[in-house]
């Protein structure tokens, strides 16, 4: 019970409300309605209201209105007020569904809960966010040293905290990593728990959606790539422009609202850290947003949930290979364009000769048809992509590790000439449904290939990969 109470205190310290269901007065299209708001951990915000939505004028009766059920209505912004807490709720990108008379359901992508009523187009100057394993990603321990005396009362100990902060600045954005803490003192226990945070401050105020989609979620993706696990946003708050200390507590389906405390176990060595000497966190996120906007297949597509342990190894393997092949093609676009022009000229010349031979009667119709079945696109192959990434990240020793897996070793012994040829054979057999393999053998390949994909993702953002990190 004490842990639950402490978590609530932490949420109220950095946010404004703990997750739950609350009575709420909604304002929809200028009409006030009674209802409830649902602000739950790991769920999209929403609620219900007791009221009606006019669906439009009844056909043939301009003065009359009609109702149809169910009826959906998109609302870019809905306001609510939780009287019991004296808090304001702002729902963004909401949908209201009239399920029956006086029964409305409300669903939303984002909810902002604040003590001040936010303007319609509210802008925010900063965002503070906490995520699981954020401390391990940054690589800074909450304490430099800790000295516990051999004699004397237990509260006589010393600690230094000179490296508890790290700051990155670029392009009008500043990111600062820091630790908060919670202490518990009673006759039987003295404890301090540290809570890692990153606070972003923008020279240009941004909307809540921009903060979420351009900074919060990309940071979550970057940490997830670094850990190889699906990390969660625990708490996030926004500070509004022009209102003194006006903070909004952010609710979305990816936020747990369960405070994360630093453990700093030495065994949790990560593949990548955002130390100042290696990487500017702000630069990395800016680069990530640029590549995402450009449609880079790996940056836009990578998702740890898609290759989680609850997915079949065949799907995970094919997805990893697809990301590598697509990423390689994206990076070789200019070269491919030149190759395509040459290929087009060659194919055109070949087809002209085939047509001439057919006209002269030197080719049968079947031979002419077969001769026309030449590739029309000069696209890179999976083998080229694998060769490129195995060489680019040779320090991971991926090719040798793949060669030691049971499935690759068997294929090389029987039909294939190399590791790359074996992977190509496996991919083609699975894609075309002509071959099947034991899931546990495919899982071996996934565990070896996943670090290679993570290494390439981080390299695209200017980071480096630690080959000795957990996989």
């Amino acid at each position: 019970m004490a842990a639950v109470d402490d978590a609530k205190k932490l949420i109220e310290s950095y946010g404004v409300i703990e997750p739950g269901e609350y009575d709420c007065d909604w304002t929809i299209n200028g009409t006030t309605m009674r209802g409830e708001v649902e602000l739950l951990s790991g769920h999209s915000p929403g609620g219900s209201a007791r009221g009606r939505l006019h669906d439009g004028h009844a056909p043939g009766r301009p003065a009359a209105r009609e109702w149809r059920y169910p009826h959906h209505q998109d609302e870019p912004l809905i306001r609510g007020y939780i009287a019991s807490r004296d808090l304001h709720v702002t729902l963004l990108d909401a949908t209201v569904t009239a399920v029956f008379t006086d029964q409305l359901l409300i669903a939303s992508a984002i909810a902002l809960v604040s003590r001040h009523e936010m303007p319609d187009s509210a802008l925010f100057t900063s965002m503070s966010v906490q995520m699981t394993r954020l401390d391990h990603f940054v690589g800074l321990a909450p304490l430099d040293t800790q000295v516990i005396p051999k004699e004397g009362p237990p509260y006589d100990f010393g600690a230094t905290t000179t490296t508890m902060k790290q700051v990155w600045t670029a392009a009008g954005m500043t990111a600062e990593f820091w630790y908060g803490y919670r202490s518990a003192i009673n006759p039987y226990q003295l404890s301090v728990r540290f809570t890692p945070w990153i606070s972003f401050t923008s020279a240009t105020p941004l909307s809540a959606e921009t903060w979420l989609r351009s900074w919060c979620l990309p940071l979550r993706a970057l940490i997830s790539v670094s850990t190889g696990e699906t990390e969660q946003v625990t708490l996030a708050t926004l500070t509004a422009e022009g209102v003194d200390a006006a903070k909004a507590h952010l609710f979305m389906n990816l936020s747990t609202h369960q405070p994360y405390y630093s453990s700093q176990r030495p065994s949790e060595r990560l593949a990548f850290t955002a130390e100042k000497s290696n990487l500017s966190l702000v630069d990395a996120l800016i680069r990530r947003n640029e590549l995402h906007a450009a449609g880079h297949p790996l940056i836009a597509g990578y998702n740890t949930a898609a290759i989680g342990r609850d997915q079949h190894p065949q799907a995970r393997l094919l997805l990893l290979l697809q990301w590598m092949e697509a990423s390689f093609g994206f990076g070789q676009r200019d070269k491919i364009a030149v190759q395509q022009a040459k290929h087009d000229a060659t194919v055109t010349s070949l087809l002209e000769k085939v047509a001439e031979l057919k006209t002269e009667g030197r080719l049968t119709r079947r031979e002419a048809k077969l001769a026309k079945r030449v590739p029309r696109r000069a696209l890179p192959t999976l083998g080229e992509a694998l060769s490129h990434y195995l060489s680019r990240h040779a320090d991971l020793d991926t090719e040798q590790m793949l060669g030691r897996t049971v499935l690759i070793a068997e294929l090389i012994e029987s039909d294939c000439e190399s590791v790359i040829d074996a992977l190509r054979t496996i991919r083609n057999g699975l894609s075309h449904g002509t071959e099947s393999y034991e899931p546990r053998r495919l899982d071996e390949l996934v565990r070896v290939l996943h670090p290679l994909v993570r290494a390439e993702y981080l390299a695209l953002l200017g980071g480096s990969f630690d080959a000795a990190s957990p996989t």
Side-chain angles (χ1 to χ4, degrees):
M1 188 67 181
V4 174
D5 291 340
D6 185 65
K8 289 183 178 179
K9 291 179 181 178
L10 181 62
I11 291 174
E12 291 176 347
S13 297
Y14 292 102
V16 293
I17 193 172
E18 63 270 17
E21 300 181 19
Y22 301 89
D23 290 335
C24 183
D25 294 322
W26 295 107
T27 300
I28 304 175
N29 286 332
T31 302
T32 300
M33 308 175 187
R34 291 288 295 168
E36 297 79 32
V37 61
E38 296 179 355
L39 303 170
L40 304 177
S41 172
H43 290 77
S44 297
S48 60
R50 293 174 284 281
R52 292 188 176 187
L53 287 181
H54 290 296
D55 195 18
H57 293 287
R61 293 182 292 165
R65 288 187 175 273
E66 65 174 4
W67 290 268
R68 289 179 294 182
Y69 305 103
H71 167 57
H72 306 282
Q73 182 172 303
D74 293 332
E75 294 289 343
L77 185 145
I78 294 178
R79 297 191 179 281
Y81 178 67
I82 305 174
S84 62
R85 296 298 186 94
D86 189 23
L87 294 174
H88 296 270
V89 179
T90 305
L91 299 184
L92 305 177
D93 296 330
T95 299
V96 182
T97 301
V99 293
F100 202 62
T101 305
D102 294 329
Q103 295 182 20
L104 303 180
L105 296 180
I106 304 171
S108 175
I110 305 171
L112 302 177
V113 183
S114 58
R115 300 195 181 280
H116 298 77
E117 185 175 5
M118 292 295 167
D120 287 355
S121 300
L123 297 177
F124 301 88
T125 56
S126 64
M127 175 186 68
S128 294
V129 61
Q130 183 188 88
M131 300 180 183
T132 55
R133 299 183 75 183
L134 174 61
D135 48 343
H136 298 287
F137 166 75
V138 176
L140 297 178
L143 298 176
D144 274 349
T145 60
Q146 180 171 318
V147 180
I148 302 177
K150 295 181 180 179
E151 300 178 357
Y155 55 80
D156 288 335
F157 69 92
T160 60
T161 58
T162 56
T163 62
M164 285 180 63
K165 291 187 177 182
Q166 178 69 66
V167 178
W168 304 272
T169 302
M173 180 67 71
T174 299
E176 179 180 0
F177 173 85
W178 53 282
Y179 281 98
Y181 68 91
R182 300 289 299 173
S183 61
I185 302 176
N186 59 56
Y188 304 99
Q189 182 183 30
L190 167 63
S191 66
V192 178
R193 293 191 292 177
F194 292 92
T195 56
W197 292 86
I198 281 186
S199 295
F200 292 91
T201 302
S202 175
T204 304
L206 307 172
S207 66
E209 295 95 330
T210 301
W211 277 115
L212 175 64
R213 296 186 171 94
S214 297
W215 296 96
C216 180
L217 297 184
L219 176 62
R220 171 181 175 267
L222 183 55
I223 297 176
S224 296
V225 174
S226 301
T227 64
E229 303 290 342
T230 302
E231 306 300 339
Q232 300 295 330
V233 179
T234 56
L235 298 169
T237 60
L238 299 170
T239 301
E241 177 192 30
V243 182
D244 294 337
K247 291 187 177 181
H249 194 180
L250 190 150
F251 282 84
M252 59 176 175
N253 65 337
L254 295 176
S255 56
T256 65
H257 302 276
Q258 298 173 356
Y260 170 73
Y261 296 100
S262 176
S263 62
Q264 285 295 327
R265 291 190 291 271
S267 61
E268 294 196 48
R269 185 180 177 191
L270 299 187
F272 175 76
T273 57
E275 296 175 0
K276 187 175 182 179
S277 59
N278 294 334
L279 173 81
S280 164
L281 177 60
V282 175
D283 283 336
L285 293 179
I286 290 174
R287 177 62 175 159
R288 179 266 173 200
N289 290 337
E290 291 173 347
L291 290 172
H292 191 277
H296 193 288
L298 180 55
I299 300 300
Y302 182 92
N303 186 340
T304 51
I307 49 176
R309 299 292 297 180
D310 56 339
Q311 305 293 333
H312 193 282
Q314 175 174 323
R316 292 154 57 201
L317 176 62
L318 290 175
L319 193 53
L320 290 171
L321 293 174
Q322 179 184 332
W323 279 335
M324 283 190 284
E325 189 173 14
S327 179
F328 178 73
F330 188 88
Q332 299 286 322
R333 286 173 298 170
D334 294 339
K335 181 179 179 181
I336 293 172
V338 174
Q339 291 177 342
Q340 185 65 48
K342 294 180 179 178
H343 185 74
D344 288 342
T346 302
V347 170
T348 300
S349 175
L350 174 62
L351 294 180
E352 289 175 352
K353 292 180 180 178
V354 169
E356 182 179 344
L357 291 173
K358 182 183 176 183
T359 302
E360 295 174 356
R362 297 165 62 184
L363 284 181
T364 66
R365 182 177 179 181
R366 181 178 180 81
E367 290 173 334
K369 185 177 180 180
L370 181 62
K372 291 181 179 180
R373 296 181 62 180
V374 294
R376 296 301 182 98
R377 300 287 295 173
L379 298 176
T381 64
L382 175 62
E384 291 179 86
L386 289 172
S387 178
H388 171 78
Y389 290 125
L390 291 174
S391 175
R392 176 174 164 87
H393 303 286
D395 57 312
L396 298 183
D397 201 28
T398 303
E399 188 167 6
Q400 287 71 25
M401 293 171 65
L402 286 170
R404 291 193 290 269
T405 62
V406 174
L407 184 54
I408 296 292
E410 289 177 349
L411 287 174
I412 291 178
E413 185 177 352
S414 58
D415 300 320
C416 301
E417 298 179 354
S418 65
V419 167
I420 293 176
D421 187 32
L423 279 174
R424 180 189 58 78
T425 299
I426 293 169
R427 193 280 301 270
N428 290 345
L430 293 175
S431 298
H432 299 143
T434 57
E435 296 289 346
S436 62
Y437 303 97
E438 292 184 64
R440 62 193 179 106
R441 300 307 182 198
L442 297 177
D443 188 61
E444 283 186 288
L445 302 181
V446 170
R447 284 187 277 113
V448 177
L449 285 173
H450 190 195
L452 181 65
V453 174
R454 291 164 56 203
E456 178 58 20
Y457 188 110
L458 297 175
L460 289 169
L461 304 186
S464 58
F465 193 89
D466 184 358
S469 66
T471 57

